[in-house]
Amino acid sequence: MRTWEEIAARTASGERLSAEDALTLWREAPLWRLGELAVQKKRAISADKVFYNKNFHLEPTNVCLFNCKFCSFRRPRGSADAWEWSVEQMEQIVRSYKDKGVTEVHIVGGVHPDHSLDYYCKLIRRVKAILPRVAVKAYTAIELSYMIRKAGLTIREGLERLIEAGMEAIPGGGAEIFDEHIRQQICPEKGSTAEWFEVHHTAHELGLKTNATMLYGHIESVEHRIDHLMRLREEQDATGGFNAFIPLKYRNLNNSMSEIGEVPIIDDLRTLAMSRLILDNVPHIKAYWVMYGKQTTEMALKFGADDIDGTIDDSTKIYSMAGAEEQRPTMSVGDMQQMTQRAGFRAVERDTHYNEIK
């Protein structure tokens, strides 16, 4: 077995990490050395750039068929703090962004038992009618798999309908941890790992770019995280369809796994760095500032992240309901530029497809 020093040297020279070497590096390398290696890899891919966009979220409902143990967002139907927005209510939200220069709307929510594929297509068309130049990045693979199968279509047929309606990209949610044994413990009702990959693989075949995520810091081990990243790397080798990877930290407020606590910031930084090193074929690693908080996000830029998401404008509740630091998440362009400069990089506005906006 090679030492972490030997592995680090080979990684720095461009050698791809095996699962065994990744485990040694993850467990044994000093944090500062992982940061050096990850920033070297980040600079080779995106130079001194750190990307952000002007975006907002639509979360149509927190009513969900599934009851994942880690989820603080989901509410049963009829609960006092459940919501089910109509298309007309969401239209009002979208109209409020007509003159704000946004380039993306991110639509995710609970898997509602009554909403059909036609409903979701209609929502996309309404958004595009109001904001025709805004890219719609919509629906997790779990939402997509449910709505498409409910409509009696294949995944390809359903995605083709959504693309026709105006969907341009797919977010990475619902991946959680790919290990099936862990998945059975934390989200036994949710769609399988195979379903998640089927949706993303088919989207890539159709020319859609997608993101990928990993929920870490709960009952999984480092070996499970490495397995997750290796499966993503293999898919990317096959299709090249992932734009970005987003490691998502488990937050423990208001869910049935609260007793296990949260991992420390050092674990966050180590996970970010190792994600950058293992996913050598995924262009971007995102430090989602809404989840980490602004201070940790700034540190993340020293550990391989080259994207911090967007302005958000207090339009998402998924992480605030789980106890994240940012209870009313919004960040100005100036704030993002200053954060990036303090970390020694250059902030660059992008669109959904990582085209730079001058």
Side-chain angles (χ1 to χ4, degrees), residues 314-339:
D314 191 20
S315 59
T316 178
K317 293 182 173 64
I318 292 173
Y319 267 94
S320 59
M321 291 171 72
E325 295 174 32
E326 306 296 336
Q327 286 296 297
R328 297 185 62 85
T330 186
M331 188 149 48
S332 70
V333 169
D335 289 339
M336 288 188 282
Q337 290 172 338
Q338 290 174 20
M339 173 190 292

Side-chain angles (χ1 to χ4, degrees), residues 206-279:
L206 292 170
L208 279 183
K209 292 292 186 178
T210 74
N211 289 343
T213 62
M214 174 178 71
L215 183 71
Y216 71 91
H218 42 91
I219 65 170
E220 91 293 351
S221 65
V222 169
E223 288 89 342
H224 293 130
R225 297 185 202 179
I226 291 172
D227 170 69
H228 189 103
L229 294 167
M230 289 294 180
R231 295 196 206 194
L232 289 174
R233 192 172 75 180
E234 182 179 358
E235 174 68 16
Q236 185 74 341
D237 280 344
T239 68
F242 291 123
N243 258 341
F245 171 71
I246 309 103
L248 297 174
K249 178 177 184 168
Y250 165 68
R251 292 286 188 172
N252 75 331
L253 188 67
N254 298 323
N255 61 62
S256 62
M257 292 169 57
S258 294
E259 72 280 355
I260 69 174
E262 297 178 0
V263 296
I265 291 174
I266 288 174
D267 197 350
D268 299 330
L269 300 178
R270 191 171 287 270
T271 300
L272 279 157
M274 288 303 302
S275 297
R276 177 65 286 168
L277 296 175
I278 294 171
L279 295 176

